[in-house]
Amino acid sequence: MRSRPQRCSPPSQCSHRALRRSRAASRPRTPPAKARSNRTTPGSPVQDSATPPNQTGTGVTFTVNAPNAGTATIGVKYANGTTADRPADLVVNGATVQSGVAFDPTGRWSNWGINNLSVPVKAGSNTIRLAAASSAGLGNIDYLDFAAPRTSALPSSFQWDSTAQLVSPKPDATHNIVSVKDPSVVYHDGRYHVFVSVVNTNQSYSLAYLSFSDWSQADDAPLTFLDTTAIGAGYKAAPQVFYFAPEQRWYLIYQIGNNVAYSTTADIADPRSWSAPTPFYAGTPQIVLDNMGSGQWLDFWIACDSANCHMFSSDDNGQLYRAQTSVANFPEGFGSPVIAMQDANKLWLFEGANVYKVQGGNEYLLLVEAIGEGRRMFRSWTAPSLTGPWTALADTKANPFARRTNVAFPGGAWTQDISHGEMIRAGIDQTLAISPCDLQFLYQGMDPASSGPYNLLPWRLGLITQTNSSC
């Protein structure tokens, strides 16, 4: 049976998602896995209910419209509740463009993942088919998101200059800290407000705050240890700060053991005004438990568009997760995450994700920390929406977003790691907007000769500034 939703007239008045997403007529069933075939044309989604048998060659076909020829990106939402890959051949306009594309296990049939794939398209109508490459058939296919070929406001490669160390540990009588790490920063009322993780000699984590008007003053700024406030003692790490404009309140997001919590204040300049922690979840979501292996759920990051707030997180096991709630319901209502991106090499999609709105268009920038040849670095992607699909921007060892190979140190190299950090934003609110010009990134690095347990590594903060801006 087919159903034809009301046509938008003209098509330009359709929502972006109506134009670009092809969704199944109903949720796919549990095993044996069935796929729903979908067909989308601008302004007129058409939905089929075919359920091909689990055998080699059967599959689903989508029709998408591209305004111009080039390389597009698709995001296929799927579930694979088995313990084995369910590979598919990717066929575009009758030609196989990728064979045996991995659709890895998602842990159970109720867990959803997104497979981001590049496809060549022609201007006009294109067919995209996923055909089972094994006798097990496809996983359950929910929908396909399509991002047409486009030109990014950002360059395809980056060059940076780094400062010397800007912020180092400042122990006091009760905080014998060895590192300052995981910075989040906003510029407000003429001052930088920086929130960090600090680690004690006993390897315990807590949060701290510092503020200054110029980067030259950063290392002289005193640390306020937030375990002396209502935020309290116990494990707290990896902060993110932003101003949630609908409530006119500041939010501080951070890890608390196996969960994520928030505190709020009306005055970011008063570190003692933060509220006590409120967890977002009752516990670790099932999809994370099913996929994190020996890793852990960590590094939470929230970014909002006009309708929804999206929470990104990692597991140190090759998964990047995304959950969402409406702006109206925030901070309540985050549901079960989906796997927004996945990599069989867990070190290549490790942790420390950041997401930003690029000013001047419908573009988002995703950064994820990776480990290449034993050293920390960042990879990058872009998308027309916080839900994806994500197109690789600078994501390789040869062409990274930020790595020791594309960062110069005019004052002398003090680190070979470009690790957990944050972009300097153009604003303060929940949209996390950045200018595409003259990018800056506050990061953690350390003496390359350092060794020992990770929690005792001597992380310090530095700032890199883009030197190849095209603006």
Side-chain angles (χ1 to χ4, degrees), residues 44-61:
S44 179
V46 179
Q47 301 171 338
D48 297 336
S49 58
T51 53
N54 292 341
Q55 62 187 44
T56 303
T58 59
V60 291
T61 299

Side-chain angles (χ1 to χ4, degrees), residues 68-301:
N68 52 278
T71 300
T73 303
I74 59 173
V76 182
K77 185 179 180 184
Y78 77 98
N80 178 0
T82 72
T83 59
D85 171 27
R86 287 205 168 183
D89 293 334
L90 180 58
V91 182
V92 180
N93 297 324
T96 300
V97 296
Q98 293 186 52
S99 298
V101 175
F103 281 78
D104 293 318
T106 58
R108 60 187 66 205
W109 293 105
S110 57
N111 294 341
W112 294 98
I114 309 292
N115 206 347
N116 298 277
L117 304 167
S118 296
V119 294
V121 294
K122 62 185 180 180
S125 180
N126 295 261
T127 60
I128 299 174
R129 179 172 173 77
L130 294 168
S134 75
S135 59
L138 295 174
N140 284 349
I141 307 298
D142 187 24
Y143 62 68
L144 177 146
D145 266 349
F146 176 76
R150 58 194 170 85
T151 300
S152 175
L154 299 168
S156 58
S157 63
F158 296 86
Q159 296 293 323
W160 310 88
D161 274 355
S162 177
T163 64
Q165 297 178 23
L166 289 180
V167 179
S168 56
K170 301 173 185 65
D172 68 10
T174 57
H175 299 84
N176 190 17
I177 60 173
V178 296
S179 68
V180 177
K181 60 195 297 286
D182 308 333
S184 181
V185 56
V186 292
Y187 186 76
H188 177 62
D189 280 351
R191 299 184 68 82
Y192 292 99
H193 301 268
V194 181
F195 295 81
V196 295
S197 303
V198 292
V199 187
N200 215 320
T201 52
N202 65 3
Q203 302 191 42
S204 62
Y205 277 71
S206 58
L207 302 179
Y209 163 81
L210 64 155
S211 179
F212 45 87
S213 59
D214 187 84
W215 291 108
S216 63
Q217 304 167 354
D219 209 29
D220 295 326
L223 287 176
T224 299
F225 295 101
L226 298 184
D227 59 359
T228 64
T229 72
I231 288 175
Y235 179 86
K236 314 286 192 311
Q240 182 207 5
V241 67
F242 60 86
Y243 183 71
F244 190 61
E247 293 181 2
Q248 298 183 14
R249 292 192 68 80
W250 293 92
Y251 273 74
L252 187 65
I253 315 299
Y254 48 90
Q255 294 170 217
I256 52 168
N258 64 348
N259 207 331
V260 52
Y262 66 88
S263 296
T264 69
T265 183
D267 184 4
I268 192 174
D270 180 3
R272 302 199 175 279
S273 64
W274 289 101
S275 65
T278 300
F280 281 99
Y281 285 89
T284 305
Q286 188 63 50
I287 188 172
V288 181
L289 295 172
D290 289 338
N291 288 279
M292 69 181 187
S294 60
Q296 59 179 319
W297 194 33
L298 78 175
D299 291 351
F300 303 93
W301 187 265

Side-chain angles (χ1 to χ4, degrees), residues 287-288 291-298 313-321 346 349-351:
I287 188 172
V288 181
N291 288 279
M292 69 181 187
S294 60
Q296 59 179 319
W297 194 33
L298 78 175
S313 58
S314 301
D315 66 5
D316 282 356
N317 196 43
Q319 278 73 230
L320 175 70
Y321 302 94
K346 66 181 182 181
L349 195 73
F350 199 55
E351 59 188 23

